[in-house]
Amino acid sequence: ILQSGLNWTVSKLLLSCAGLCVIGLVLMSGVARQPILMSAAAAAALAALPLLYLQYKRSGRLDKLERQLPDALDLVTRALRSGHSFASGLQMIGEEMAEPIANEFRIVSDEVNFGVSLQQALTNLSERVPVTDLRYFLGAVLVQRDSGGNLTEVLGNLSRLVRERLKLDGKVRVLSSEGRVAGWIGGSVPIGLA
């Protein structure tokens, strides 16, 4: 629920699943007079709808966050080159970028301001946002803090690498779209004929 960005509670999610299950069971067995097995299958399908919606919102939010990451890395790189600290660069992401990445880095900045160590705040970020490129960013920052080095150069290279990977992903998706559509059509023909 946290990764989807929805303001639902666990009880609201479970209650909506249970409510839809009961509605499906009553409609199929009581109104449509279907056998109990078919009613149970329809009730289970309806009960899964909130979970599927939650998964859809989660994947959309994480995809958007992944597309925003190179711009956030560039912003931190520019902040470091102009003399700001790394923590203020993270705060700039929270103030100047769009959602959802702004909210996540705002939380990191608030945690640091409330006394949590930067390493722990970044670890909390990686638990909230399971994006591989973000974990590379956090790994680079934590290694640089322990061993030293030029963080601006590392972040600039990482930003370029993430951009190139996203561009390659887009090309692969475009080139494979014809095969995916043919697969969907080929898979749906037997169901449609039945």
Side-chain angles (χ1 to χ4, degrees):
I1 293 173
L2 182 68
Q3 292 172 357
S4 70
L6 298 173
N7 57 357
W8 292 0
T9 60
V10 175
S11 59
K12 181 179 179 180
L13 176 65
L14 294 177
L15 186 63
S16 63
C17 288
L20 286 173
C21 181
V22 168
I23 289 171
L25 197 59
V26 167
L27 286 177
M28 289 300 287
S29 65
V31 177
R33 305 267 189 237
Q34 295 296 320
I36 192 68
L37 190 60
M38 185 174 281
S39 299
L46 278 178
L49 286 179
L51 297 173
L52 293 174
Y53 178 72
L54 189 70
Q55 183 65 31
Y56 169 75
K57 293 296 280 186
R58 176 187 179 268
S59 64
R61 184 173 184 265
L62 292 179
D63 286 345
K64 187 174 182 182
L65 201 140
E66 190 173 22
R67 288 191 309 271
Q68 289 178 317
L69 187 61
D71 295 331
L73 294 176
D74 288 342
L75 182 63
V76 172
T77 303
R78 287 191 303 271
L80 289 173
R81 284 189 181 137
S82 64
H84 293 283
S85 68
F86 180 72
S88 66
L90 296 180
Q91 185 176 3
M92 285 180 190
I93 294 174
E95 293 170 354
E96 297 179 14
M97 295 212 48
E99 295 297 330
I101 201 165
N103 185 45
E104 294 298 334
F105 278 93
R106 203 175 303 123
I107 292 171
V108 170
S109 180
D110 289 345
E111 286 179 347
V112 170
N113 288 338
F114 289 135
V116 176
S117 70
L118 182 63
Q119 179 176 358
Q120 184 61 45
L122 292 175
T123 303
N124 293 343
L125 174 65
S126 72
E127 290 173 2
R128 281 192 315 270
V129 183
V131 173
T132 306
D133 295 331
L134 184 68
R135 292 176 194 239
Y136 293 151
F137 162 69
L138 300 178
V141 168
L142 295 178
V143 166
Q144 189 275 338
R145 290 182 71 80
D146 289 340
S147 62
N150 188 357
L151 185 60
T152 57
E153 183 179 334
V154 170
L155 293 181
N157 289 338
L158 184 60
S159 171
R160 184 180 47 79
L161 184 70
V162 170
R163 272 198 178 85
E164 292 298 319
R165 190 190 64 75
L166 290 174
K167 189 187 304 183
L168 183 63
D169 263 357
K171 285 181 182 178
V172 168
R173 191 174 298 121
V174 166
L175 293 175
S176 67
S177 64
E178 182 182 351
R180 284 185 284 133
V181 169
W184 278 102
I185 292 172
S188 63
V189 165
I191 297 169
L193 289 176

